[in-house]
Amino acid sequence: MMQPAFSVLLISDDLAGTDSIQEGLVASGASQIYKCSSDDNFLQQLDSVHVDLIVLDIDKPTVELFEKFSLVRDFCPKPVVCFSNDSDSKVIEKSVKAGVAAYIVNGKAVERVKPIIEVAIMRFNECQAVRKELASVKDKLSERAVIEKAKGLLIEHKNMTENDAYKTLRKMAMDQGKKISVVAHEVCGVLVGLEGG
């Protein structure tokens, strides 16, 4: 399956020696390759250009480098592929924790780059989908919890049945054109405020 055209930030400790990776990236569908030395502030570069993929070509990556990539993972997630000559398991473990989708040791041959990039992008997209789903489930659970709490407070303060409490919340939500969880949150704020007062 051919990837649609994508842009890349290539970070290297030897920009003159990145020809085979660049050739492999172009063969994979890279339409734009921005280059940055590993000594430069690549976070600043990421701020100024839009890229779909980050490729590291670093002989011996450091734990500190991957700590910076934790920021990328948290604030502007992108698939990250690292080509390296270092098979230190501590560095590899740190790279995985920082969100690196593929860590390749001694594998910069042009014909290897394309499948590596394709798998890394697919794996990244899959992980992002799982993260979104998890966030959605957490949101639903917290919405349900606030609705239950509001019902409990209505039962306690207004001597309602559970069914009446839910109907009251639903009616208020419809009347105000809000989600029931938003109304439940407001009800909790008011009734907990009353308890406090």
Side-chain angles (χ1 to χ4, degrees):
M1 183 190 96
M2 189 65 188
Q3 291 288 336
F6 58 91
S7 56
V8 182
L9 176 60
L10 175 57
I11 302 168
S12 179
D13 53 6
D14 174 22
L15 286 172
T18 58
D19 293 349
S20 64
I21 286 186
Q22 287 187 70
E23 213 177 300
L25 286 169
V26 169
S28 304
S31 54
Q32 180 80 52
I33 300 173
Y34 301 96
K35 292 191 274 187
C36 173
S37 163
S38 55
D39 297 330
D40 295 341
N41 184 348
F42 67 85
L43 293 173
Q44 212 168 6
Q45 180 113 8
L46 271 176
D47 216 22
S48 60
V49 295
H50 169 78
V51 295
D52 305 300
L53 172 71
I54 300 170
V55 174
L56 297 171
D57 176 18
I58 299 195
D59 186 41
K60 292 209 172 293
T62 61
V63 166
E64 293 75 41
L65 175 74
F66 292 123
E67 280 168 0
K68 286 184 185 170
F69 272 95
S70 296
L71 293 171
V72 174
R73 179 200 60 215
D74 295 342
F75 296 106
C76 60
K78 309 252 178 265
V80 179
V81 175
C82 180
F83 291 93
S84 166
N85 292 321
D86 189 356
S87 56
D88 178 345
S89 55
K90 278 203 174 19
V91 173
I92 293 172
E93 182 185 345
K94 192 73 180 175
S95 78
V96 170
K97 284 185 177 161
V100 172
Y103 188 101
I104 311 302
V105 179
N106 302 328
K108 290 191 265 189
V110 176
E111 64 279 0
R112 288 197 61 201
V113 173
K114 185 173 185 275
I116 288 167
I117 297 300
E118 287 179 355
V119 168
I121 290 174
M122 283 184 230
R123 183 177 291 161
F124 172 80
N125 290 339
E126 227 170 75
C127 285
Q128 288 301 101
V130 168
R131 278 204 183 105
K132 276 191 186 128
E133 200 174 309
L134 187 60
S136 163
V137 167
K138 281 183 176 169
D139 283 351
K140 284 189 178 118
L141 287 172
S142 69
E143 281 180 12
R144 195 168 295 153
V146 82
I147 292 168
E148 289 302 316
K149 183 176 180 184
K151 282 186 347 192
L153 288 167
L154 286 170
I155 291 165
E156 185 186 331
H157 286 272
K158 305 288 183 192
N159 295 323
M160 293 181 171
T161 65
E162 186 174 351
N163 199 18
D164 286 343
Y166 183 74
K167 281 182 182 166
T168 301
L169 289 172
R170 198 174 62 199
K171 184 175 182 339
M172 288 168 75
M174 288 163 84
D175 291 349
Q176 296 173 32
K178 294 178 180 174
K179 284 175 68 175
I180 192 167
S181 58
V182 173
V183 169
H185 212 2
E186 291 167 357
V187 166
C188 287
V190 170
L191 294 178
V192 168
L194 288 176
E195 283 180 347

